[in-house]
Amino acid sequence: MEPEPNSRVAQHVRSLPRSGIRDFFAIVAQMPDAISLGVGEPDFVTPWHIREATIFALEKGRTSYTDNRGLRELRREISAHVETHFGVDYDPEDQVLVTVGVSEAVDLALRALLNPRDKVLYHQPCYVSYHPGAVLAHGVPIAVPTRAEDGFALDPAALEAAWEPGCKVLMLNFPTNPTGGTASPEVLGRIAKFACEKDLVVLSDEIYSELTYAGEHVSITTFPGMKERTIFLHGFSKAYAMTGYRIGYACGPADLVEAMMEVHQYSMMCASILSQDAAVEALRHGADSMARMKEQYHRRRDYVVRRFNQAGLKCHSPGGAFYAFPDIRSTGLDDQEFAHRLLREQKVALVPGTAFGADGAGFVRASFATAYDKLVDAAGRIETFVNSL
Ligand code: PLP
């Protein structure tokens, strides 16, 4: 007898909402002349010296497993980098874990920390994997709403209001995907105080930190009482244009890093040695190439924000990351309709805001990690579309 469709799939996996953007981008993939501002990855290829380090690693026959924690050489580089740029010192022996991207680090942290039904607070709109990540670790995700009127900044008062007994973890992401929002030291200080009061473990996803355009990025780990309760998550995908390498890391208190290591060693074992060698090169010599890419993003940001506003779509200037998040409510369309019609009528792909949670309703995400001439073309088409409504 044929099993019922899906009956063999675990309930918590079945409960995950189907991603609307998968269908949407399946359509985009069939349209070769569409301009996609949809994907969250740099349009640059990885800088040549980093690719060369990968080639050299292969030439030298470096094709083995590594220590589960990652190469010692890389952990030392990470520790030095985090101390220099974020002002927190982690022991490379037992407070640093090399992972398969920040994606794996988020999954490991949630699986290592959560007992069934433990609650996870996160601010919304947010990166698409936080909610499912908590569900897959048998936790209960609790979204803290952020408001368009505040530029989607996380209001500590909203965090306090969303808290309930059983909350164990707080996930933060500054600069934020999809809004480009950053948090001021004052706000971070209030969140830190709250995390201490409620004894929360903070997962701080700082993957976009180098791509901060206004002022200095400040990590919540630097606030009193936070190093002991924060797992700092970072990686190479965005700032060094290394998405395909799948390499990231977690730094935190030794007991929590050890627990993540347990899960990692039985699931992933280790990150690819080739990617680890490339990551060493990125940390040692990648600063200049990163700065050059950042300069391009900065220029593109100013351009797309100006063009969205000129087209009548209110758009704040994102403080970080490479996403603009314009308000499309003035068009009378909802974000799904807007994105679908724009794709059909003008062949430009943007991501509907609700893909990042209900609080993204009425907004769309446009990635400006896209070549400048394509942005110019896309901006023209968007303006034509808006004028036609
Ligand atoms: N965290 C955020 C906020 C992201 O936007 C992304 C990718 O878009 C990731 C994590 C995943 O990063 P990685 O490529 O290191 O797995």
Side-chain angles (χ1 to χ4, degrees):
M1 204 170 77
E2 285 286 309
E4 285 277 299
N6 268 346
S7 65
R8 290 176 293 189
V9 177
Q11 268 175 19
H12 68 299
V13 176
R14 257 187 280 168
S15 78
L16 294 177
R18 184 173 164 70
S19 160
I21 45 176
R22 234 169 61 192
D23 301 334
F24 184 69
F25 282 96
I27 306 172
V28 179
Q30 307 296 321
M31 297 172 69
D33 49 347
I35 303 176
S36 178
L37 311 187
V39 288
E41 71 175 323
D43 59 313
F44 300 108
V45 288
T46 308
W48 171 243
H49 65 101
I50 300 175
R51 282 184 277 154
E52 207 172 36
T54 323
I55 296 166
F56 292 155
L58 264 178
E59 270 179 0
K60 282 185 264 169
R62 286 174 63 79
T63 54
S64 62
Y65 293 132
T66 69
D67 186 313
N68 297 124
R69 293 168 295 178
L71 295 169
R72 174 173 282 130
E73 194 185 9
L74 176 56
R75 282 182 280 125
R76 285 187 176 155
E77 288 296 335
I78 290 169
S79 169
H81 179 82
V82 174
E83 183 161 9
T84 307
H85 295 278
F86 298 87
V88 205
D89 65 311
Y90 291 104
D91 186 337
E93 289 308 312
D94 60 1
Q95 297 186 318
V96 177
L97 176 66
V98 177
T99 59
V100 180
V102 172
S103 302
E104 194 214 356
V106 167
D107 180 52
L108 292 177
L110 290 169
R111 285 206 277 162
L113 288 167
L114 298 181
N115 289 305
R117 314 292 305 156
D118 280 342
K119 293 171 187 164
V120 179
L121 291 158
Y122 64 100
H123 50 112
Q124 199 193 64
C126 69
Y127 178 48
V128 291
S129 80
Y130 293 167
H131 175 114
V135 172
L136 289 172
H138 302 280
V140 179
I142 299 183
V144 182
T146 59
R147 301 177 336 143
E149 300 81 89
D150 308 330
F152 294 103
L154 173 58
D155 177 1
L159 179 60
E160 284 168 34
W163 181 89
E164 18 181 294
C167 283
K168 184 169 186 182
V169 170
L170 168 62
M171 300 184 74
L172 298 175
N173 171 223
F174 301 117
T176 308
N177 174 7
T179 62
T182 53
S184 67
E186 190 259 326
V187 165
L188 286 177
R190 285 175 61 196
I191 298 171
K193 199 160 157 274
F194 177 73
C196 291
E197 266 165 35
K198 299 296 185 192
D199 196 21
L200 299 169
V201 177
V202 174
L203 304 188
S204 186
D205 178 347
E206 304 189 30
I207 193 164
Y208 294 104
S209 53
E210 286 85 0
L211 304 178
T212 297
Y213 308 107
E216 283 283 297
H217 173 81
V218 177
S219 174
I220 194 155
T221 41
T222 56
F223 286 80
M226 292 313 288
K227 191 185 162 201
E228 302 80 323
R229 63 176 61 254
T230 304
I231 301 178
F232 171 87
L233 306 170
H234 203 354
F236 298 83
S237 287
K238 312 295 176 173
Y240 299 100
M242 290 173 67
T243 48
Y245 278 88
R246 311 307 306 123
I247 185 96
Y249 55 91
C251 304
D255 59 331
L256 301 186
V257 168
E258 174 61 21
M260 289 171 68
M261 223 284 290
E262 288 279 317
V263 184
H264 173 74
Q265 74 177 347
Y266 294 124
S267 51
M268 206 58 72
M269 187 120 78
C270 64
S272 155
I273 191 170
L274 299 176
S275 302
Q276 295 193 52
D277 277 354
V280 168
E281 171 65 20
L283 290 177
R284 285 192 182 150
H285 305 118
D288 289 349
S289 33
M290 182 177 72
R292 279 195 292 276
M293 290 187 274
K294 181 178 170 183
E295 210 177 286
Q296 293 300 314
Y297 296 138
H298 198 154
R299 177 167 166 254
R300 296 168 184 183
R301 175 198 73 158
D302 293 346
Y303 177 76
V304 290
V305 168
R306 193 174 74 243
R307 291 296 305 263
F308 276 124
N309 283 304
Q310 272 170 7
L313 303 177
K314 214 166 100 197
C315 184
H316 69 272
S317 186
F322 40 53
Y323 308 109
F325 204 58
D327 184 342
I328 53 92
R329 290 174 294 183
S330 61
T331 63
L333 303 178
D334 71 26
D335 52 288
Q336 293 280 346
E337 282 168 339
F338 183 93
H340 279 93
R341 280 190 55 185
L342 177 64
L343 180 63
R344 257 198 331 268
E345 295 172 28
Q346 289 293 333
K347 299 206 169 86
V348 175
L350 303 175
V351 186
T354 44
F356 308 98
D359 296 301
F363 288 74
V364 289
R365 189 190 78 174
S367 166
F368 50 85
T370 308
Y372 199 85
D373 56 337
K374 281 195 185 165
L375 289 174
V376 173
D377 191 353
R381 296 190 197 191
I382 293 168
E383 193 159 357
T384 305
F385 173 68
V386 172
N387 289 338
S388 75
L389 293 172

